[in-house]
Amino acid sequence: MRLKDRVAIITGAGRGIGEATAKKYAIEGAKVVVADLNEEDINRTVSEIMEAGGEAVGMIVNVTDRAQVENMITDTVEKFGSVDIVVNNAGITADAQLVKMDESEWDRVIDVNLKGVYNVAQAAAKQMKEQQRGVILNASSVVGLYGNFGQTNYAATKWGVIGMTKTWAKELGRYGIRVNAVAPGFIMTPMVEKMPEKVIEMMKGKSLLGSLGYPEDIANAYTFLASDEARFITGTVLSVDGGVVI
Ligand code: NAI
């Protein structure tokens, strides 16, 4: 039980990588806040965690809404007494080539993937500073390391997440707060499942291991980085991508 009695908030935990991470954290003994926009997904994830003997509570939170984010931190402290781990996992895509991307697609992705991460990290960091300990984990992407066709907005955010991760590691280390990012490769989740078969085959081809990853592969990385096994690791980006970017 590597996260025994730790209180962990995971955004976008209703499905995909966030859901797998919430379940893994619960198995490792954490008290998990399943934060997402989608109530049905939240309820399903929470009940599956509880049925498996874990502890979880659901919160409907839009990470772009600062008031909702602040309430999430307050409610978590009220319910569980602290905020030990935050996984900034919520993220979206709205793909188009540069010459076709409209302003609303740019704004939407920046708002969730960049401002949402800033909102949650800022509110959590204030609480963690009081506690003098905490772990903040941010979802970057291979796309934040080497760009991607049709993803101007997404690449900007995932690159930006790395910049914020390193900045916060420098600012918050003195308070016992570690900050790291995970850069997943192509992972089989609802976000990827909606892509054309041709694109999925192309993604497999880019992996040195010849396959896509699964949400559990990323959940394992988030578990290690949140645990005391990673107590001397901060400001880093862990690629979990089957060797797509080396
Ligand atoms: P997903 O689309 O399956 O799940 C994302 C979850 O975030 C959904 O439950 C959604 O409701 C929630 N969400 C979206 N906007 C939100 C908001 N404003 N506030 C709160 N929750 C919100 O995505 P997936 O694939 O699980 O990805 C999770 C993270 O990992 C994202 O940040 C994504 O960019 C990143 N990632 C995913 C990769 C992949 O291949 N699936 C590759 C690299 C990074």
Side-chain angles (χ1 to χ4, degrees):
M1 287 238 179
R2 287 181 289 170
L3 304 179
K4 189 156 175 42
D5 294 331
R6 304 286 164 84
V7 178
I9 297 174
I10 301 163
T11 67
R15 69 176 202 192
I17 293 169
E19 175 186 355
T21 305
K23 288 178 173 168
K24 175 75 179 168
Y25 274 27
I27 289 169
E28 295 284 352
K31 299 167 186 171
V32 181
V33 175
V34 175
D36 203 293
L37 284 177
N38 187 311
E39 189 171 9
E40 216 173 287
D41 285 344
I42 292 174
N43 290 342
R44 182 180 40 76
T45 303
V46 169
S47 15
E48 287 175 11
I49 288 174
M50 310 271 264
E51 276 160 25
E55 194 168 352
V57 62
M59 293 188 194
I60 302 172
V61 181
N62 185 338
V63 295
T64 67
D65 185 318
R66 288 174 64 82
Q68 288 185 24
V69 166
E70 272 163 27
N71 287 340
M72 170 178 79
I73 301 294
T74 313
D75 292 350
T76 302
V77 174
E78 222 162 76
K79 169 112 184 115
F80 292 129
S82 62
V83 177
D84 303 314
I85 304 160
V86 162
V87 184
N88 274 308
N89 164 76
I92 60 167
T93 54
D95 297 351
Q97 290 177 52
L98 174 61
V99 290
K100 293 183 190 157
M101 182 173 288
D102 63 38
E103 194 180 351
S104 71
E105 288 167 331
W106 168 264
D107 287 343
R108 235 177 329 128
V109 172
I110 298 292
D111 212 25
V112 177
N113 296 11
L114 211 49
K115 192 174 174 196
V117 173
Y118 153 75
N119 286 343
V120 174
Q122 186 181 54
K126 288 179 186 166
Q127 171 63 29
M128 290 174 176
K129 188 177 163 189
E130 265 177 43
Q131 298 167 187
Q132 291 286 299
R133 68 166 190 157
V135 177
I136 298 173
L137 302 175
N138 299 322
S140 182
S141 166
V142 282
V143 173
L145 295 169
Y146 78 159
N148 199 20
F149 189 97
Q151 293 199 309
T152 295
N153 48 5
Y154 188 77
T157 63
K158 295 303 182 182
W159 217 295
V161 158
I162 295 175
M164 294 196 294
T165 299
K166 291 175 188 279
T167 299
W168 299 338
K170 290 181 178 177
E171 290 183 0
L172 301 173
R174 73 192 70 173
Y175 308 121
I177 303 169
R178 295 189 295 105
V179 189
N180 290 294
V182 170
F186 301 110
I187 309 300
M188 200 40 115
T189 67
M191 184 187 260
V192 168
E193 276 162 17
K194 70 185 179 198
M195 294 180 178
E197 189 56 37
K198 217 171 73 183
V199 177
I200 294 180
E201 282 309 311
M202 179 274 292
M203 289 172 180
K204 282 186 189 164
K206 280 184 192 272
S207 161
L208 303 182
L209 303 175
S211 64
L212 296 186
Y214 287 89
E216 291 70 23
D217 296 319
I218 309 304
N220 288 338
Y222 281 134
T223 303
F224 164 65
L225 287 172
S227 77
D228 290 342
E229 289 169 7
R231 57 178 288 275
F232 204 48
I233 301 177
T234 196
T236 195
V237 185
L238 177 58
S239 290
V240 185
D241 65 359
V244 170
V245 181
I246 57 170

